[in-house]
Amino acid sequence: MRIAIVKLSALGDIVHAMVALQFIKAAYPDLTIDWIVEERFAGLLADNPHIDQVLPLNLKALKTDKLRIFGEIGKVRGYAKHGYDLVIDAQGLIKSALVSRLLAANCAGFDRNSIREKSAAWFYAQTVACPYDANTIDRNVTVLTRPLGLEVGTDRILEKQPFLFFRPPRIRLEDYFSKQQSNILLVVGSTWPSRNYPLEKYLQVIFGVEANFLICWGNEKEHWMAQWLAERSLARVLPQMNLNDLKAVVAKSDLVIGNDTGPTHMAWGMNRPSITLFGPTPVSRVYQTEINQVLKSPSVVDPFKLNKNDFSIGEIPVADIVALARQLLPKPAAEAAES
């Protein structure tokens, strides 16, 4: 049997869907799984032993060049020649539903009451019900496993194996990581300004925890933010990285602290300690574990109508982040022996 998963974007959403792969392959070890994704995120899926082919599209480019649609449709029709027995749309958008339907007639996805773009459900041969305001990871696992006759509960997800894989990075990690101190990766950017913890407060966090702080970035704005912090502290700005490099950096970090955004969620996918800071988005986007913790601002979030003007993330006390970081960081050998 051969299936295709359609989950085009974004980074964190793809991470939250990828966890389902290990449960699918445990039940059906001979199943062939391809994954259709926006090409800029293909590196996240690379080297995963549960995926047979990562098949990229560039639908984002259609925003500036409408004529590219014919080329992208051609790619999808080419992928359809693989002869999929089932296609599962884990995105729930009209564009992802169209891609799924072009890949095969037998496609599955959320029902109309479980997604924001309700018309997408018209394209599916079978639908899955899961409340739109349910935990994002549970939703992804449900839509990917139920069409295959599987039910995966919370306990299994909490016991997951790490599922982000990487090759040796292009950058020399030893040039940035300390052997004398714990290494903390800061993720200071995100897609909305209101999801970003204030730089002035990140600076206080850096001064509040004895560690080697590294800052990653993905665009020029985030690069400026990282440099602003580095110029005022001993934190170091990492070089420009591809997704393979980023996976290697997250895997080597003792703790990841960041906004509700993809690189922070990668820590959960690699079973690395993390603190995710939430303001205008719901904490139901993630799972909390002993090593993966969240801090939420006092604002009330409506999952059905997110408020991009909610800048309450800045109200999260620096002291709370510092205390949680100290709790999650590995204890020095002498301290560990005493305890």
Side-chain angles (χ1 to χ4, degrees), residues 1 6 9 18 25 32 42 66 76 85 91 113 117 126 133 141 149 155 179 202 245 249 266 281 300 303 308 327 337:
M1 184 177 179
V6 178
S9 62
M18 287 177 70
K25 290 295 281 189
T32 298
K66 304 297 184 186
V76 177
D85 299 290
Q91 195 89 44
N113 295 317
E117 296 185 6
Q126 55 178 306
D133 57 347
V141 171
D155 289 345
K179 294 182 179 179
Y202 267 130
D245 298 336
V249 166
M266 287 170 64
T281 51
V300 177
K308 291 186 178 182
Q327 175 186 323

Side-chain angles (χ1 to χ4, degrees), residues 36 56-57 59 69-82 84 98-104:
I36 288 78
L57 294 174
L59 301 183
I69 190 170
F70 302 107
E72 296 306 308
I73 290 175
K75 286 183 192 176
V76 177
R77 293 193 184 281
Y79 297 155
K81 293 178 181 179
H82 294 148
Y84 295 111
L98 280 167
V99 169
S100 300
R101 187 61 182 80
L102 285 171
L103 287 169

Side-chain angles (χ1 to χ4, degrees), residues 9-20:
S9 62
L11 197 65
D13 296 325
I14 295 170
V15 170
H16 292 154
M18 287 177 70
V19 68

